[in-house]
Amino acid sequence: MKVGAHVSISGSRVSSDEETPPYNDIRNAVHRQRAFGGNCGQIFTTSPQVWAQPEISEAAAAGFREETETQLEGPWVIHSAYLVNLCTPKEDLRRKSKESMQAELDAAAKLGVPYVNVHLGAHTGAGVEGGLDNAAGVIDDLDVPDDVRILIESDAGSGTKLGGEFEHLAGIIDRTETDIGICIDTAHTLVAGNDLTTPEAVDETIGRFNDEVGLEYLEYIHLNDSKHDVGTHKDEHAHIGEGHIGEDGMRAIVNHPDLRDLPFALETPTEDGRGFAWNIEKVKELHEA
């Protein structure tokens, strides 16, 4: 099973054979992932709360690639900055979003990471069709490196944010000339109005996704339980099996024949004395060999 967590790259890494760089070291992600019991996962390359360019030394990138190959099953996915809004009608935000995405795509190529994950963002008055047109325009303006694929993440669907409906995900695939994929977040999918609480509900939701979007586009899953119920559009993650999806739903998801071989990355909370290690172990318990 390919399961891991969204881990931090924070902190410098001291080495005897090179100068320690004055920024975070990407190699920290590998040993943190192993410490949590994961074998794949997700990272930010820089702070997601500001417009910042990834700063990754050649030595750190080479070390990350080597340690990933020898110590993890992979694959990694890079999560774009939270500020990125592909759907925006605002030219300045569009420009900044494009520049940020290009930097992440270039970092992915440097690190040997096959995916960059991004939310569609909010159309802020442009409307659903206009927002999807805007997003496709940004994506097609990017220079996507070989062996890197953009993944559009499903959203909780609050306000004018797009991606909460399968129709939005199909719409962006139809509009862009770029070979993009999809990352489904289970908590987002639930609160956007899709039942995942029983094996029957999981089957029905996956069937609708296949009919409307196509399972051939699904590349990664953010595996999160939810503190809020179906259709509430409230994005707050819970420990695996202890939210509104529950153990029955989570067991059905991680063992579903159309999903079980995909990589799962957890974005579960650290609270109640439990964190990523507890949640990864819980997923492994639910997964049937």
Side-chain angles (χ1 to χ4, degrees), residues 83-114:
L83 300 178
V84 169
N85 186 346
L86 303 182
C87 293
T88 182
K90 300 176 182 177
E91 189 57 39
D92 185 54
L93 181 53
R94 177 188 178 92
R95 176 184 58 79
K96 290 179 179 179
S97 297
K98 177 185 172 183
E99 290 173 352
S100 179
M101 280 295 295
Q102 188 63 60
E104 298 291 12
L105 290 167
D106 294 341
K110 185 175 185 178
L111 294 168
V113 173

Side-chain angles (χ1 to χ4, degrees), residues 86-89 94 120 123 126-141 162 168 171-177:
L86 303 182
C87 293
T88 182
R94 177 188 178 92
L120 283 172
H123 67 71
V128 172
E129 299 300 316
L132 292 174
D133 288 341
N134 291 339
V138 174
I139 291 170
D140 286 341
D141 280 346
L162 299 184
H168 300 163
I172 189 62
I173 290 171
D174 290 343
R175 282 169 170 78
T176 181
E177 298 179 0

Side-chain angles (χ1 to χ4, degrees), residues 187 227 231 239 284:
K227 292 185 178 180
H239 292 308
K284 292 177 180 178

Side-chain angles (χ1 to χ4, degrees), residues 41 53 64 103 139 142 147 151 188 220 260 263 281:
Q53 299 289 315
F64 177 88
I139 291 170
L142 294 167
D147 301 322
L151 302 184
H188 296 172
Y220 225 106
R260 61 179 290 130
E281 183 60 31

Side-chain angles (χ1 to χ4, degrees), residues 34-83:
R34 285 175 56 85
F36 289 135
N39 58 18
C40 66
Q42 181 173 260
I43 54 172
F44 291 123
T45 62
T46 187
S47 172
Q49 307 285 3
V50 298
W51 298 112
Q53 299 289 315
E55 294 182 297
I56 305 167
S57 70
E58 292 295 338
F64 177 88
R65 294 193 303 269
E66 179 182 358
E67 292 176 21
T68 293
E69 182 177 356
T70 58
Q71 300 182 40
L72 300 178
E73 296 294 325
W76 288 105
V77 56
I78 291 172
H79 197 300
S80 65
Y82 292 139
L83 300 178

Side-chain angles (χ1 to χ4, degrees), residues 258-270:
D258 291 324
L259 306 181
R260 61 179 290 130
D261 293 331
L262 292 171
F264 296 88
L266 278 64
E267 301 167 320
T268 46
T270 298

